[in-house]
């Protein structure tokens, strides 16, 4: 077990063995940190495209299954080679830079969107001892680097000089910055309880119980997850890419590999949001059964992946089933629902902290916190729900009295 | 891991990530066909002949959201340090934070009431 | 010697084949080719681009039963920049060709084209028309042709496999796109007086210089005089038959009697009008001939009487006059309580002009524009009278009898020229330039602007330029959610729609002109292609109109079968509409694919009775073409009694109370009852506004008066109400189906096999309640030829679109597509 747990750490040691044997000891000691960093970075740079390839395949299969279809199944077993075929095709595809565009911004935008999408993996704790950089202000890093996406989308939309791209990028900008606020506030409660901005510390703070089990963690998770979905333009918040009105959104004018990079960044973003939701609220790589059983069932990195993919599946589930919100409803949801809820989360967390530990905290905390959340929800949605129901006479299925006629 | 090293590592990662992002485009540069012509390089407009320029004035509402974002985003930065030290600072700081958030909520309510958060 | 060489060559080929088979990798080229071809063949992303009927089958290919995703080709890309494959699915009209060529040009290499169906391959059934090109391959290169009209989804899949095999054989050094030389840009045709190929401009200039006049064909279509006013008190003296007459005289007399028009029937509504306005006469075809100056007064009088629904507006080109025809009916009362009235206004042939009805009925807007476009009749007082189906700048008025189409051969099908002396020739070969294209004298092909836009629309942005931030956005004709090749031009303030112009005609395939050349029965398959989602209702309406004119009775069993088919079709069409409404809402195909799965079941039944999935061509004058087969009943009963009620309820359960859908559709695109009537809206659009107008109840045509069903109405008139109306109608249709199958009598299915019939002179307007609304057919027969003199379709989709701007103003861009989805238009019917 220990060996599997430490598999990747050992792989890294093995990779370091070669320079250790070749280089003089003094030199090696000086550059060991650097070398191990390079190996870590290479691991991430292998992991990122592999994840993206797998996710594209998974999305197509999952959505196909939800629509009673098979999905890709001609290349490889279960169509597993489909993403590779797509990749090769995009690689060999002509790259068009229309005459009207600003060529520099147009070419830079796909790179600018991909770089932060990769860099965000640096502070992701994949497992025990498996984090590239344990940054003390990791959360600020995540917030700042994920908002670079806005700039890239604006670059892409504006430089394309195309009405659809422009509208879509402006929408995207409005959407991403609006959801950044509830996203930021939803993490305040986590910080209050963990007392640190390091992702590693936040995971370790959940050894006593996942944050999602507490009222503030539960609310925080919902806000974080939904805002995150909006940040990376997943359904039902995929307004910037709304095919039914804006052709292909901000990447209408992109072809070939540049479009491929946008595609990649989108999937990496979705993965990152799922992974950080896990890290902040579902105990990251912690084994939920370890405190009970006293030993680990699965290695930590596998737990991390399992939990993350459950949330990734939820994203695909949304995609397969939900209609899209309209842009004003979307912004209303951010400013007039999620933000007040996120602000409410801070007193709930404070209350939780000041309650005496033990069963009382769980009962009283959930009772008071739950009723506060419910009350706030009622307050914020009362107007809308009253508007929605009634006034329509819903047609009902006529009562069938006759049975199947015998003549057949 | 010291924080200087951490930031240094991030810098190195950024260089690698840039290479990573450039590589596919650069690689495709050698393999992809190049058959540009005027028709291909014209702007897509649902199949119509492109005539209009979209680089003109943009509606004010987009900026309103940007302003609101700016305010709240900075407030978040103020809240975070407090949140980390919340357990050490004690109830007085909590009260102070409530006052701070109260001001924020009043601001939000004002923007809400004034219709600054309406997408038109 | 030659044999030896042949053997030699064969041996070489054999060797090559062997090498290819057993030595997998021979060079770096081979590796590259294998990888490159494998990648390209397994990941063909088609462009989301549908033109006409074939597009429906293309969408079905993506559904669960066929699943194009298996080949990795389900990622339909909306932008040509990311697409590999252009499926030209449907009739290519002249107006659409420039768009298609431009889109093709904008696709990145390597790109492929599949020509799907008869129309895009060679013009198909619409080949000789004035607005259709015969084959897309004159303009862009085609890789794979698929036959069929429309090809089934299986055929499209086989075409895709064919394309994959073609890719497999490609060697990258030999491909077009890796060669620097040669310009791959396809010249974009221009929309001038006709479609102008820039490659032919020299030729045109030469023709202009030499002043070559179009050849006039020897045989012009015959004219017919307008229906004379009926003179009741001085009947034409016809002598009685006497025994001492000769055989020849007797025959002559019989002929004379036959020719004599029957006296017109004057109903109570007509009598009211006749009593008040003494200048009005009744024609022999039972319509009121109104002087142009009186038109507004008469129409207002009709409105007061309760005939408040302008059902149809069209025109006929007679020998002595143009006639504009108006059909009025009541939106609130049945035909028995308030009989309908047909008005005609005659105008002279040199400067035809009629007062416009738009001030009274805004719904007349589009129909008057259509009459102007097709017949050249001016409507005084119309706010923006310009072409609607053809482009601005098109030369000639196609529905006039003296308009000669570019490939005109003879006044009626079947063309004698096709097989003259056993020699098969194509019209285009003899007539490369379309000798009947008239280029105006001053027209200069060199100095010619792109004419995608009507000039008036081009200045749309300048209309109110007070605010600089208004943005002009164009949606369509190639757009993922305009239901085909519809186009909207919008002026946006931020994202709010300030103005919206619907632009149509990109699928105008000269249905009515062809209808005048076809024999009566030949029009049946064409009606299938009007609203290609509801072929049965289309057939039904046409059969009713001609039966009304010819006085044909329909056997009992045939009536029941017709009703069964029409109601099945209503369900299948509504399923499709509901699914697509959710697609517009952004639900990524899931509801649509579930709905289309049920639709497939119904299509199976159609295939069983008629042999075709969506182009059924099933009904005939006086009955239906085939009886229900024995194996029909079992799946039908299963479907109607078990499966469909369950599945529709399931859709209801999951979709109706979806909060996002409710939030987005409630209060959107509201049309009040008065507005809906004024805009001549019909079908679910009208009923959702609270008007219980259903032709099935109002006229009780066919045998609908025997069934017990409700007219489903809603009060709010918004998108959600329309959704609920369609849902309710599916339940009601199921109820009708259950009653019909129980009472289905045995017996004949057709009155009398009528292949080529003559229809007595006269006019008739008959309508049915198609799933989209009131589908009417107006036919005029001259009593002589074997084909209609005038054949007009009152299409509900077209007229419902008139209210689009009204519904969308003040809402957002995202809502426009939802409103459009709730109208449930089909472009084949809009443009005809």
């Amino acid at each position: 077990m220990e060996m599997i747990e430490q598999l990747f750490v050992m792989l890294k040691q093995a990779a370091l063995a070669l320079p250790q044997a070749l280089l003089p000891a003094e030199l090696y000691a000086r550059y060991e940190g650097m070398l191990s960093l390079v190996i870590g970075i290479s691991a991430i740079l292998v992991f990122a495209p592999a994840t993206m390839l797998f996710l594209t395949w998974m999305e197509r299969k999952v959505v196909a299954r939800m629509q009673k279809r098979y999905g890709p199944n001609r290349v490889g077993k279960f169509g597993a080679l489909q993403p590779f075929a797509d990749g090769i095709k995009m690689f060999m595809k002509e790259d068009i830079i229309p005459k009207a565009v600003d060529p520099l911004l147009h070419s830079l935008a796909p790179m600018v969107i991909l770089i932060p999408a990769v860099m965000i993996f640096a502070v992701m704790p994949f497992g025990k001892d498996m984090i590239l950089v344990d940054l003390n202000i990791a959360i600020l890093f995540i917030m700042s680097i994920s908002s670079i996406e806005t700039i890239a989308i604006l670059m892409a939309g504006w430089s394309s000089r195309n009405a659809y791209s422009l509208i879509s990028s402006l929408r995207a900008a409005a959407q991403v910055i609006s959801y950044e606020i509830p996203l930021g506030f939803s993490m305040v409660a986590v910080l209050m309880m963990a007392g640190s901005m390091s992702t590693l510390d936040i995971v370790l703070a959940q050894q006593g119980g996942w944050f999602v089990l507490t009222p503030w963690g539960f609310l925080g998770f919902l806000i974080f997850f939904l805002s995150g979905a909006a940040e990376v333009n997943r359904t039902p918040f995929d307004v910037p890419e709304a095919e039914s009105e804006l052709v292909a959104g901000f990447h209408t004018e992109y072809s070939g590999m540049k479009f491929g990079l946008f595609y990649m960044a989108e999937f990496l973003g979705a993965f990152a949001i799922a992974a950080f939701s896990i890290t902040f609220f579902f105990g990251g790589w912690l084994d939920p059964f370890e405190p009970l059983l006293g030993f680990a069932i699965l290695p930590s990195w596998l737990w991390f992946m399992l939990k993350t993919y459950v949330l990734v599946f939820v994203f695909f589930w949304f995609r397969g089933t939900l209609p899209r919100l309209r842009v004003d409803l979307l912004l209303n949801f951010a400013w007039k629902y999620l933000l007040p809820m996120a602000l409410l989360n801070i007193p709930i967390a404070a209350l939780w902290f000041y309650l005496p530990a033990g069963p009382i905290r769980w009962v009283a905390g959930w009772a008071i916190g739950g009723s506060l959340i419910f009350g706030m929800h009622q307050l914020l949605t009362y107007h809308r729900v009253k508007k929605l129901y009634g006034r329509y006479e819903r047609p009902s299925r006529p009562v069938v009295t006759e049975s199947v006629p015998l003549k057949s | 891991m010291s924080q200087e090293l951490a930031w240094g590592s991030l810098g190195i990662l950024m260089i690698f990530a840039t290479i990573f992002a450039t590589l596919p485009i650069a690689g495709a540069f050698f393999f992809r066909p190049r058959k540009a012509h005027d028709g291909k390089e014209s702007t897509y407009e649902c199949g119509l002949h492109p005539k209009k320029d979209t680089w003109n004035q943009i509606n004010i509402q987009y900026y309103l959201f940007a302003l609101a974002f700016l305010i709240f985003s900075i407030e978040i930065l103020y809240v975070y340090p407090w949140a980390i030290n919340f357990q050490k600072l004690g109830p007085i700081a909590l009260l102070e934070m409530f006052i701070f958030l109260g001001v924020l909520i009043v601001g939000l309510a004002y923007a809400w009431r004034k219709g600054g958060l309406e997408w038109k | 010697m030659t044999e030896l060489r042949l053997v030699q060559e064969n041996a070489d080929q054999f060797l090559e084949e062997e090498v290819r088979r057993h030595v997998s990798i021979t060079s770096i080229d081979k590796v590259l080719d294998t990888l490159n071809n494998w990648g390209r063949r397994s990941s063909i992303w088609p462009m989301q681009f549908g033109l006409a009927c074939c597009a429906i089958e293309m969408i079905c290919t993506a559904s669960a039963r066929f699943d194009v995703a298996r080949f990795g080709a389900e990622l339909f890309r909306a932008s040509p920049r990311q697409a590999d494959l252009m499926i030209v699915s449907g009739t290519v009209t002249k107006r659409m060709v420039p768009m298609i060529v431009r889109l093709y040009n904008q696709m990145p290499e390597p790109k492929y084209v599949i020509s799907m169906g008869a129309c895009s391959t060679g013009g198909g059934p619409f080949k000789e028309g004035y607005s259709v090109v015969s084959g897309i391959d004159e303009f862009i290169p085609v890789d794979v042709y698929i036959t069929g009209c429309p090809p089934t989804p299986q055929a499209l899949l086989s075409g895709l496999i064919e394309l994959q095999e073609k890719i497999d054989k490609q060697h990258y050094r030999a491909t077009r796109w890796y060669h620097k030389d040669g310009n791959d840009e396809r010249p974009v045709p221009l929309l001038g007086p006709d479609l102008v190929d820039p490659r032919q401009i020299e030729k045109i200039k030469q023709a202009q210089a030499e002043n070559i006049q179009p050849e006039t064909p020897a045989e012009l279509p015959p004219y017919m005089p307008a229906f004379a006013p009926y003179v009741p008190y001085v009947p034409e003296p016809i002598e009685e038959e006497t025994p001492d007459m000769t055989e020849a005289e007797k025959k002559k007399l019989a002929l004379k009697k036959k020719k004599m028009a029957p006296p017109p029937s004057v109903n109570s509504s007509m009598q009211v009008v006749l009593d008040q306005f003494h200048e009005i006469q009744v024609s022999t075809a039972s319509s009121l001939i109104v002087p142009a100056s009186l038109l507004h007064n008469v129409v207002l009088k009709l409105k007061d009487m309760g005939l408040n629904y302008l059902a149809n507006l069209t025109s006929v080109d007679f020998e002595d006059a143009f006639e504009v025809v108006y059909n009025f009916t009541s939106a609130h009362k049945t035909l028995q309580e308030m009989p309908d009235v047909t008005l005609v206004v005659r105008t002279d042939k040199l400067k035809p002009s009629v007062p416009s009805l738009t001030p009274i009925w805004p719904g007349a807007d589009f129909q008057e524009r259509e009459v102007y476009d097709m017949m050249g009749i001016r409507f005084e007082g119309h706010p923006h009278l310009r072409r609607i189906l053809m482009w601005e700048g098109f030369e000639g008025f196609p529905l006039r009898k003296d308009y000669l189409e570019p490939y005109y051969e003879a006044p009626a099908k079947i063309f004698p020229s096709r097989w003259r002396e056993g020699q098969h020739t194509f019209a285009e070969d003899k007539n490369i330039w379309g000798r009947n294209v008239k280029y105006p004298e001053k027209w200069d092909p060199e100095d010619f602007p792109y004419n995608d836009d009507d000039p008036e629309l081009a200045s749309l942005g300048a209309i109110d330029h007070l605010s600089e931030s208004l943005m002009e956005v164009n949606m369509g004709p190639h757009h993922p959610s305009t239901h085909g090749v519809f186009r909207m031009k919008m002026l946006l303030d931020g994202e709010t729609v300030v103005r919206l112009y619907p632009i149509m005609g990109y699928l105008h395939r000269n249905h009515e002109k062809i209808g005048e050349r076809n024999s009566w029965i030949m029009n049946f398959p064409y009606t299938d292609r009007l609203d290609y989602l509801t072929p049965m209702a289309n057939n039904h309406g046409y059969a009713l109109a001609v039966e009304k004119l010819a006085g044909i009775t329909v056997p009992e069993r045939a009536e029941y079968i017709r009703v069964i088919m029409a109601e099945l079709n209503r369900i299948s069409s509504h399923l499709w509409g509901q699914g697509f409404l959710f697609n517009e809402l952004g639900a990524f195909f899931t509801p649509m694919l579930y709905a289309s799965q049920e639709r497939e079941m119904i299509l199976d039944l159609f295939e069983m009775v008629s042999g075709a999935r969506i182009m059924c061509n099933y009904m005939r004058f006086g009955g239906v073409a085939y009886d229900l087969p024995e194996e029909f009943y079992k799946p039908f009963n299963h479907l109607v009694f078990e499966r469909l009620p369950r599945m529709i309820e399931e859709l209801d359960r999951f979709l109706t109370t979806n909060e996002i859908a409710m939030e987005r559709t409630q209060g959107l695109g509201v049309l009040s009852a008065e507005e809906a009537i004024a805009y001549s809206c019909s079908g679910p659009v009208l009923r959702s506004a609270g008007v219980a107008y259903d032709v099935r109840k109002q006229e009780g045509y066919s045998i609908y008066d025997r069934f017990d069903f409700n007219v489903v109405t809603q009060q709010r008139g918004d998108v959600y109400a329309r959704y609920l109306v369609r849902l309710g109608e599916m339940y009601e249709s199921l109820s009708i189906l259950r009653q019909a199958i129980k009472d289905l009598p045995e017996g004949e299915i057709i009155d009398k096999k009528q292949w080529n019939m003559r229809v007595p002179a006269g006019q008739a307007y008959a309508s049915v309640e198609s799933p989209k609304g009131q589908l009417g057919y107006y036919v005029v027969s001259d009593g002589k030829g074997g084909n209609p003199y005038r054949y007009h379709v009152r299409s509900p989709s077209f007229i419902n679109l008139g209210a689009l701007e009204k519904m969308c103003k003040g809402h957002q861009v995202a809502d426009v597509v939802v409103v459009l989805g709730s109208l449930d238009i089909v472009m084949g019917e809009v443009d005809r």
Side-chain angles (χ1 to χ4, degrees), chain A residues 158-186:
Chain A
W158 186 81
S159 73
S160 291
R161 214 167 181 168
N162 178 316
Y164 316 107
S165 302
L166 188 67
I167 292 185
S168 142
S169 66
L170 290 174
R171 273 185 184 185
Q175 174 184 334
V176 173
I177 61 175
S178 296
Y179 276 89
E180 206 130 288
I181 309 293
L183 189 81
F185 273 111
S186 70

Side-chain angles (χ1 to χ4, degrees), chain A residues 60 66-67 70 82 86 89 93-94 164 171 244 251-255 320 324 384 388 392-393, chain C residues 42-43 67 74 79 81-82 84 109-110 474 479 481 495 585 588 590 594 659 663 666 714 718:
Chain A
R60 286 167 80 168
M66 286 181 177
Q67 298 172 346
Y70 284 112
Q82 189 62 46
D86 288 339
K89 186 212 59 187
K93 197 86 181 154
E94 190 180 5
Y164 316 107
R171 273 185 184 185
S244 51
H251 48 60
T252 301
E253 290 287 0
Y254 282 90
S255 61
R324 180 185 306 127
R384 213 171 47 81
L388 278 188
Y392 293 91
E393 190 189 331
Chain C
S42 323
S43 163
D67 194 19
E74 90 276 33
S79 161
R81 306 290 191 195
Q82 294 136 23
D84 308 300
E109 299 282 1
N474 188 74
H479 193 276
S481 55
E495 292 212 3
L585 287 169
F588 196 67
T590 308
Y594 275 79
E659 208 171 320
E663 177 89 290
Q666 296 191 352
Q714 288 283 336
D718 56 9

Side-chain angles (χ1 to χ4, degrees), chain C residues 294-368:
Chain C
L294 266 183
L295 180 65
H296 276 205
N297 298 352
V298 176
V299 169
L300 285 173
K301 169 74 191 161
L302 289 178
K303 198 175 178 181
D304 288 345
M305 280 163 58
L307 285 168
N308 53 359
Y309 189 78
L310 173 61
N312 181 39
L313 192 165
T314 185
S315 63
V316 191
D317 179 13
F318 286 117
E319 191 174 13
D320 42 354
F322 284 116
E323 194 176 272
V324 181
V325 186
Y326 307 87
N327 295 87
F328 283 93
T329 180
S330 168
H332 296 109
K333 294 177 182 160
T334 65
L335 217 55
Q336 281 79 37
E337 294 162 354
M338 180 66 73
D340 56 354
V341 168
T342 305
L343 301 183
V344 302
V345 177
R346 299 220 167 123
T347 173
D348 73 292
K349 296 209 70 163
L350 287 176
K351 277 192 81 178
S353 150
V354 170
S356 167
L357 280 193
T358 41
I360 304 171
W361 298 116
D365 180 351
F366 277 18
Q367 303 187 60
E368 285 181 352

Side-chain angles (χ1 to χ4, degrees), chain C residues 727-792:
Chain C
L727 193 66
E729 280 184 10
M730 285 197 272
Y731 286 136
E732 292 300 329
S733 288
L734 281 176
S735 147
I736 295 176
L737 282 171
R738 280 192 289 264
Q739 297 168 37
I741 198 71
K742 264 205 333 230
D743 303 344
L744 179 69
E746 294 295 325
E748 286 295 306
I749 52 150
I750 193 158
D751 182 28
K752 174 172 93 179
K753 278 243 158 65
Q754 331 224 9
W755 298 125
N756 217 352
M757 54 189 258
R758 280 184 202 283
V759 175
Q763 60 164 0
Y765 174 76
S767 56
V768 290
E769 185 66 33
S770 101
K772 309 286 188 293
Q774 183 188 11
L775 173 71
Y777 287 84
Y778 176 76
V779 285
V780 177
S781 168
D782 57 3
K784 281 182 239 152
N787 44 333
Y789 185 76
R790 176 80 172 98
Y791 164 70
H792 172 73

Side-chain angles (χ1 to χ4, degrees), chain C residues 591-758:
Chain C
M592 188 226 125
L593 289 184
Y594 275 79
S596 101
Q597 192 187 4
E598 304 315 307
R599 179 175 173 268
E600 287 288 332
M601 298 282 164
I602 297 173
L603 295 192
D604 280 353
L605 293 180
F606 288 167
E607 197 169 350
M608 231 177 251
V609 297
S610 73
R613 275 160 55 84
I614 65 174
M615 297 301 167
C616 300
N617 184 16
Y618 183 56
M619 296 182 194
R620 297 286 181 271
F621 306 124
V624 293
Y626 314 99
D627 203 348
L628 301 180
E630 208 36 57
E631 66 270 21
F632 175 82
Y633 298 98
K634 203 175 164 206
F636 176 86
N637 285 336
H638 170 69
L639 209 56
V640 168
F641 286 85
E642 285 160 29
R643 182 167 174 135
L644 278 179
R646 199 175 66 233
M647 296 312 285
I648 293 172
E649 204 166 62
E650 190 180 302
L651 286 178
D652 181 11
R653 201 165 59 238
F654 287 130
L655 302 183
T656 309
T657 48
N658 182 304
E659 208 171 320
I660 297 178
M662 283 167 84
E663 177 89 290
R664 285 199 59 181
T665 54
Q666 296 191 352
L668 171 66
V670 178
L671 211 57
S672 72
E674 291 76 34
E675 283 165 351
I677 293 174
Y679 276 101
S680 295
C681 292
S682 54
V685 181
L686 183 60
R687 287 192 285 274
S688 71
V691 184
Y693 176 72
D694 187 317
V695 186
R696 290 176 293 176
K697 281 274 188 216
Q698 199 251 5
E699 271 183 38
Y701 64 88
S702 195
I703 48 164
Y704 275 108
D705 44 0
R706 297 186 199 172
F707 299 113
D708 172 30
F709 66 99
N710 301 319
V711 176
V712 184
T713 53
Q714 288 283 336
Q715 300 304 319
R716 304 257 297 137
D718 56 9
V719 173
Y720 192 65
R722 267 163 238 152
Y723 165 81
L724 290 179
V725 166
R726 293 209 174 87
L727 193 66
E729 280 184 10
M730 285 197 272
Y731 286 136
E732 292 300 329
S733 288
L734 281 176
S735 147
I736 295 176
L737 282 171
R738 280 192 289 264
Q739 297 168 37
I741 198 71
K742 264 205 333 230
D743 303 344
L744 179 69
E746 294 295 325
E748 286 295 306
I749 52 150
I750 193 158
D751 182 28
K752 174 172 93 179
K753 278 243 158 65
Q754 331 224 9
W755 298 125
N756 217 352
M757 54 189 258
R758 280 184 202 283

Side-chain angles (χ1 to χ4, degrees), chain A residues 278-304:
Chain A
I278 294 301
T279 307
F280 298 147
F281 300 101
F282 284 86
W285 40 263
L286 293 177
D287 185 339
F289 302 112
E290 201 173 352
L292 298 174
L293 301 173
F295 59 90
I297 307 173
L298 293 171
S300 59
W301 45 270
L302 204 55
W303 270 115
F304 177 80

